[in-house]
Every structure is written in C-alpha cells, then in structure tokens.
Amino acid sequence: MPALEEPHLLSHRSISPTERLILALDVPEIGEARRLVEKLGEAVRFYKLGLELFMTEGYFELVDWLLGRGKMVFADLKLFDIPETVGAAVRRLRRRAVTFTTVHGGNDRILAAACREKGDLKILAVTVLTSFDRGDLRQLGVDIEVTQLVLARARQALELGCDGVVCSGLEARAVRERLGPELLIVTPGIRPAANRPADDQKRAVGVEEAFLNGADYIVVGRPIRLAPDPYRAACDIQQAISNLFR
C-alpha cells in the first residue's frame, strides 16, 4: 500500500501555531469579554474586537487590558469613509500596539489613505463578507462570481500596499495561487466540518480546510464562545493547528 501523502499547506509564514487562532470576542459587554478571556487563559493568544464591543464604553480600555496581559489584538472596524477620514482613523489607531485592523476593499483612494498612515499597524482589506453569496452581490448591483470579486480586491490590496486580506477559505486557495505569498490571508467563518450549523455564514470551511487552502490565520467565534466548555473547544482547535504545522 502506498504511503499517505502529507497535507500540502499553502501558508509558509513563520507564525507561531498558537497565534494562528484568532478568537472573535463578539460579546455585548466589556465585563463578559474579560471573563471569557480569563476563562480561555493560555488557550488563546490573539483576539478580534469588532463593532459590537466598539459601541460599548471601554473598547480601548479593553484593548489596553488585553495588551497588558500579553495578548495580540485585531481591531476589526471595517473602515469605509472618505479617504481623509479613514487615514485619520488609522493614524489614531496606530498609536496602540494593535496588530491588525480592517478596511473595506473596493476603492483605491480609501485603501491607499489607510496604508499611508498605518505605521506598524497591518491593514487587512475586506474582500467579500463571508455572510455574502452571489445573490447578495446582485442585490448590491455587482453581477460577478464571488471568487472573481475576491481575487480582484485582493490584487488591488496587494498593489496598494495592504498587508493582507480577509476572505473565506473557499477563495483562499485562488488568492494564494494567483497572488503568491506576499499577502496575509485571514479567514473567518470557520465552522466544524461535520454538522455545520445553519447561521449567517454562507461561505464557511473547517479549520484544516482553511489552512490547507492557504490561510495564515483563522477567526473563530461561536464554535468556541458557545461551546459547553470554551476552553476545551479552543484547545481542540489549537491541537488541530499544531498537528498541521508541526
């Protein structure tokens, strides 16, 4: 019997396996966020803070609290406004030791303004939200296949100086194979391969599939947060990542 082939990873960056899991801290209150972080302990090193927490008092205090505990922070703000405003927002945000922030792709001037002001902050261009499918694009007046649009926006991001893109695992392989290793690929919408729940994520993949398709990082939310034992769920995902990158 021939030997089984080792899985072929398309991500070859020198990233600690424990940092490749980003936990989406999508909870309504700062206190709940802190309790979850404390419960997860060393099982999670990297946290994404999005718009829900941004609308509460204490968003940046939570950022500083996480940084003070040795955690990494992804400020997922999905900026999209006139270029001057986006540039000014990025300039303010870069004062903190945040690792990533997001800007919606699609407009050269907005992305260029963000990149001019980023400093050490890494800019990720959001290609197409993982809750969108072809029908959602048509509603926006964009009659194009999802993968084509993701590739176009990823190429735009690369040319304008973005550090990476956010895209689903379904398009990660095409981005990596067409555009090479320069762009970081961050993949949200991670769902268990078996018994995948019906929710608002229309373009979801499992942990292994995301990395085999070229993701550098995955963003996981509900499969950890809503698990009976979030710590164990996070550890299980970390073990799966470690097995891939051993």
Side-chain angles (χ1 to χ4, degrees):
M1 175 181 288
L4 294 176
E5 291 186 6
E6 289 292 319
H8 178 62
L9 294 168
L10 295 181
S11 170
H12 299 289
R13 289 176 178 264
S14 297
I15 300 167
S16 170
T18 59
E19 294 175 4
R20 290 181 181 269
L21 168 62
I22 303 175
L23 190 284
L25 207 53
D26 295 333
V27 296
E29 300 294 341
I30 298 296
E32 184 177 350
R34 291 191 182 202
R35 287 191 293 274
L36 180 56
V37 172
E38 289 170 342
K39 181 182 294 185
L40 293 171
E42 295 304 310
V44 177
R45 172 85 194 282
F46 207 158
Y47 286 91
K48 181 180 84 71
L49 279 62
L51 291 176
E52 185 175 11
L53 280 172
F54 190 69
M55 295 302 159
T56 67
E57 293 184 10
Y59 181 89
F60 288 107
E61 287 83 354
L62 179 60
V63 169
D64 293 340
W65 181 82
L66 286 166
L67 294 172
R69 296 174 70 88
K71 305 299 185 183
M72 299 170 69
V73 175
F74 172 5
D76 184 23
L77 301 178
K78 296 184 177 69
L79 301 172
F80 193 78
D81 208 315
I82 63 172
E84 183 177 354
T85 297
V86 170
V90 171
R91 187 165 60 247
R92 294 293 298 272
L93 185 60
R94 77 184 187 201
R95 298 176 184 177
R96 285 180 161 84
V98 170
T99 301
F100 299 148
T101 196
T102 42
V103 179
H104 272 293
N107 183 275
D108 285 3
R109 293 175 59 223
I110 292 173
L111 289 175
C115 291
R116 279 196 301 271
E117 299 292 347
K118 66 180 183 176
D120 293 330
L121 175 63
K122 289 182 171 60
I123 301 295
L124 304 178
V126 178
T127 55
V128 177
L129 296 173
T130 49
S131 60
F132 280 17
D133 58 15
R134 180 74 183 273
D136 295 296
L137 293 182
R138 286 198 187 99
Q139 287 187 2
L140 293 173
V142 181
D143 192 11
I144 186 174
E145 292 290 343
V146 173
T147 300
Q148 288 179 270
L149 183 55
V150 169
L151 278 170
R153 289 184 170 175
R155 186 172 290 109
Q156 173 195 49
L158 179 62
E159 292 172 352
L160 293 171
C162 293
D163 299 279
V165 294
V166 179
C167 72
S168 91
L170 297 178
E171 300 90 40
R173 179 174 292 272
V175 172
R176 185 65 75 208
E177 289 180 343
R178 301 284 183 85
L179 301 181
E182 289 86 358
L183 281 174
L184 287 167
I185 296 178
V186 179
T187 293
I190 301 298
R191 295 291 182 268
N195 302 318
R196 187 165 289 162
D199 56 28
D200 57 351
Q201 295 290 2
K202 295 179 180 178
R203 302 188 341 274
V205 300
V207 173
E208 291 84 356
E209 185 180 358
F211 287 114
L212 292 173
N213 283 350
D216 295 298
Y217 298 87
I218 58 170
V219 179
V220 182
R222 282 167 277 193
I224 292 177
R225 291 199 321 273
L226 303 183
D229 184 345
Y231 176 81
R232 174 47 51 195
C235 288
D236 288 346
I237 292 176
Q238 291 286 26
Q239 185 61 57
I241 295 172
S242 178
N243 290 343
L244 286 169
F245 289 94
R246 62 181 185 275

